[in-house]
Amino acid sequence: MKKTVFLILMALIAGLPGCSEQPFRNKTTSGVGVLFDGEPQVFDSSLVFMGGVVGQILSRERLNGVTRISIVLDDQYDHLKKTNLTAVVKNGRLHLKVISGHGDPLPPGGCINGFLNPTSYRLFRFSHVIDNVNMSADRRVQRLLSRSGLAR
């Protein structure tokens, strides 16, 4: 019985990709939280922006149906840390996208929106064509933070 529990525990630990708390070289130390409404199927710990790798996944937490993935960007991509940045899970990788032309800098420990698939991202963009997408994205982040209890 103890052997079975130990093997199951080891399998769970080995199956969690990108959950290292160690800082990466050439990376900023302040992570950005990505909030998902559900459990994202991310299998690769690298972040992709416009076809290139721009950072890594640090950790993930789940509470009350909301998942928070902490990410860190390479130093040369610090300018992307704005309120108009969002993340979309596509083919098991986390892809960063800019949802509008202007965004304010994220405060330390700030969070951005995460979408479980490209279809939900497009649906969000389409449903907020008329009103300000940045304000809608900020309201969505605040709603997910308050629902999850993961606010820091």
Side-chain angles (χ1 to χ4, degrees):
M1 179 69 182
K2 290 181 184 180
K3 191 177 205 181
T4 305
V5 171
F6 177 74
L7 289 175
I8 291 173
L9 182 63
M10 293 307 293
L12 286 174
I13 290 172
L16 296 175
C19 290
S20 174
E21 292 293 332
Q22 300 173 355
F24 295 93
R25 273 190 270 157
N26 256 350
K27 310 272 193 264
T28 58
T29 56
S30 62
V32 175
V34 183
L35 297 176
F36 292 91
D37 193 7
E39 180 67 34
Q41 299 297 316
V42 179
F43 306 113
D44 189 359
S45 65
S46 59
L47 299 175
V48 178
F49 180 72
M50 296 181 67
V53 175
V54 298
Q56 297 287 326
I57 294 175
L58 292 177
S59 64
R60 69 170 69 195
E61 306 170 79
R62 183 170 168 88
L63 188 64
N64 297 331
V66 176
T67 303
R68 176 192 171 109
I69 294 181
S70 295
I71 63 172
V72 66
L73 298 175
D74 292 336
D75 290 335
Q76 64 263 30
Y77 298 104
D78 272 346
H79 65 279
L80 293 175
K81 289 184 184 179
K82 295 185 177 179
T83 56
N84 63 346
L85 186 66
T86 190
V88 180
V89 177
K90 182 178 178 185
N91 298 328
R93 295 181 96 180
L94 204 55
H95 292 258
L96 299 178
K97 294 186 178 288
V98 176
I99 58 175
S100 68
H102 173 72
D104 297 324
L106 278 176
C111 293
I112 62 172
N113 281 302
F115 296 93
L116 298 174
N117 53 47
T119 305
S120 61
Y121 169 71
R122 287 187 200 108
L123 182 62
F124 177 80
R125 291 284 312 261
F126 180 72
S127 64
H128 297 288
V129 168
I130 295 178
D131 52 334
N132 187 338
V133 170
N134 279 348
M135 288 187 345
S136 300
D138 187 50
R139 284 194 305 262
R140 184 175 185 267
V141 165
Q142 295 306 319
R143 180 177 49 83
L144 288 173
L145 273 174
S146 66
R147 188 176 97 195
S148 70
L150 293 172
R152 290 186 181 182

